[in-house]
């Protein structure tokens, strides 16, 4: 048994790939609806982690919570202490481009950020957090296969959901950034530092351009498509 401050599980309790939704109930949903023989392997702070099989491949799903500090903690511990090679965040995002519509899928090729997370590496310039190319290439292939409406590009991982700066979205929009979420940049940096692989696959839950929002049912349906892309990607890269 390995006990880190936030995960209490056997060293081999997790699959090579961990899917990481923000919400612990999503983690439970995936385990109950997609994984065979799913077992709860972590529940510290209600951060439910399950391991089971999907199409014969051992896969885990564990929640990250919201924000860069929390995904930073869980991805660090999974990469460093539990033999996890790939972490795929599956979450929601707000669009800041007209062409990125609610219910679309966004595959985060790069993750800009307004957070100070990279300062710990003491680099003499700006680090560019990017997705794992093999994971991204496979996820794009799976999105094509699923005939999904998807975009691939730069996203923004923000430290604030409620920002006092009302014009910042416009500045990121001008740089071609597709959408805003709150976790990918830290995940990509941890993967880079650990020599492991990460990807964020997102569904657009709301548009910060038009104000349009998805209903709970629509969110569930687009979440299902994203989840299947992530699961099939995990099987293909195992
Ligand atoms: N900002 C940050 N994260 C989000 C948003 C948003 O507008 N929508 C969904 N996740």
């Amino acid at each position: 048994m390995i006990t880190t401050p936030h995960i209490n599980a056997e060293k081999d309790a997790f699959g090579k790939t961990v899917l990481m939704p923000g919400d612990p109930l999503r983690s439970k949903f995936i385990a109950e609806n997609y994984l065979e023989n799913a077992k709860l392997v972590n529940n510290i702070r209600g951060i439910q982690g399950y391991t089971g099989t999907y199409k014969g491949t051992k896969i885990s799903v564990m929640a990250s919570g919201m924000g860069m500090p929390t995904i930073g903690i869980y991805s660090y511990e999974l990469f460093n202490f539990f033999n996890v090679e790939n972490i795929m965040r599956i979450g929601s995002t707000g669009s800041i481009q007209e062409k990125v519509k609610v219910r679309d899928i966004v595959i985060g090729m790069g993750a800009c950020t307004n957070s100070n997370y990279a300062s710990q590496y003491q680099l003499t310039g700006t680090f560019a957090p990017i997705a794992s190319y093999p994971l991204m290439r496979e996820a794009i292939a799976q999105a094509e296969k699923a005939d999904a409406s998807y975009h691939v590009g730069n996203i923004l991982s923000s430290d604030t959901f409620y920002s006092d700066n009302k014009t910042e979205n416009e500045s990121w929009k001008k740089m071609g950034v597709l959408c805003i979420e709150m976790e990918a940049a830290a995940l990509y940096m941890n993967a880079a530092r650990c020599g492991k692989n990460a990807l964020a696959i997102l569904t657009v839950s709301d548009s910060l351009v038009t104000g349009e929002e998805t209903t709970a049912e629509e969110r569930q349906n687009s979440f299902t498509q994203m989840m299947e892309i992530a699961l099939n990607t995990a099987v293909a890269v195992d």
Side-chain angles (χ1 to χ4, degrees):
M1 206 68 167
I2 296 194
T3 304
T4 66
H6 311 94
I7 302 173
N8 183 15
E10 299 293 339
K11 188 164 180 59
D12 64 356
F14 296 91
K16 181 176 165 188
T17 300
V18 177
L19 306 191
M20 199 163 254
D23 180 350
L25 292 180
R26 291 279 189 207
S27 175
K28 187 165 185 262
F29 177 89
I30 296 168
E32 286 174 353
N33 291 282
Y34 286 90
L35 299 184
E36 281 173 39
N37 301 315
K39 301 219 165 32
L40 184 70
V41 293
N42 185 57
N43 201 12
I44 295 183
R45 289 179 182 247
I47 291 291
Q48 300 174 14
Y50 296 86
T51 298
T53 59
Y54 180 75
K55 297 182 179 171
T57 300
K58 181 180 174 184
I59 292 177
S60 299
V61 52
M62 189 168 95
S64 69
M66 286 182 283
M68 276 175 276
T70 91
I71 199 162
I73 289 168
Y74 294 112
S75 60
Y76 185 96
E77 293 182 1
L78 290 172
F79 281 148
N80 285 297
F81 306 124
F82 292 96
N83 296 332
V84 171
E85 291 296 320
N86 310 314
I87 298 180
M88 275 187 269
R89 160 164 160 70
I90 44 176
S92 67
T93 187
S95 166
I96 55 171
Q97 300 285 349
E98 280 83 2
K99 68 177 182 190
V100 179
K101 313 282 190 204
V102 293
R103 297 180 292 278
D104 283 359
I105 285 175
V106 176
I107 295 173
M109 181 156 66
C112 306
T113 187
N114 55 19
S115 110
N116 200 34
Y117 197 86
S119 67
Q120 63 179 308
Y121 304 116
Q122 299 181 286
L123 302 167
T124 55
T126 309
F127 185 75
I130 56 169
S132 148
Y133 183 69
L135 287 184
M136 187 179 77
R137 183 178 52 192
E138 188 57 41
I140 292 169
Q142 294 297 338
E144 284 284 333
K145 213 166 154 183
D147 203 20
S149 176
Y150 72 97
H151 309 262
V152 182
N154 227 341
I155 64 177
L156 172 66
S157 300
S158 177
D159 261 347
T160 49
F161 187 89
Y162 300 106
S163 176
D164 214 39
N165 179 344
K166 301 304 177 201
T167 59
E168 68 177 345
N169 291 354
E170 195 54 39
S171 307
W172 290 106
K173 180 184 179 185
K174 278 192 255 178
M175 293 303 288
V177 170
L178 301 174
C179 58
I180 309 181
E181 54 87 72
M182 303 185 74
E183 291 84 14
L187 174 62
Y188 288 5
M189 284 188 255
N190 275 0
R193 179 66 185 86
C194 298
K196 305 255 176 162
N197 311 300
L199 178 67
I201 307 174
L202 308 164
T203 59
V204 180
S205 57
D206 50 290
S207 170
L208 305 177
V209 182
T210 64
E212 193 185 352
E213 290 174 10
T214 45
T215 63
E217 191 188 346
E218 287 172 334
R219 269 201 299 280
Q220 187 59 52
N221 290 340
S222 51
F223 185 81
T224 302
Q225 190 177 50
M226 165 179 70
M227 203 158 49
E228 288 172 4
I229 289 170
L231 284 164
N232 287 316
T233 299
V235 170
V237 301
D238 196 73

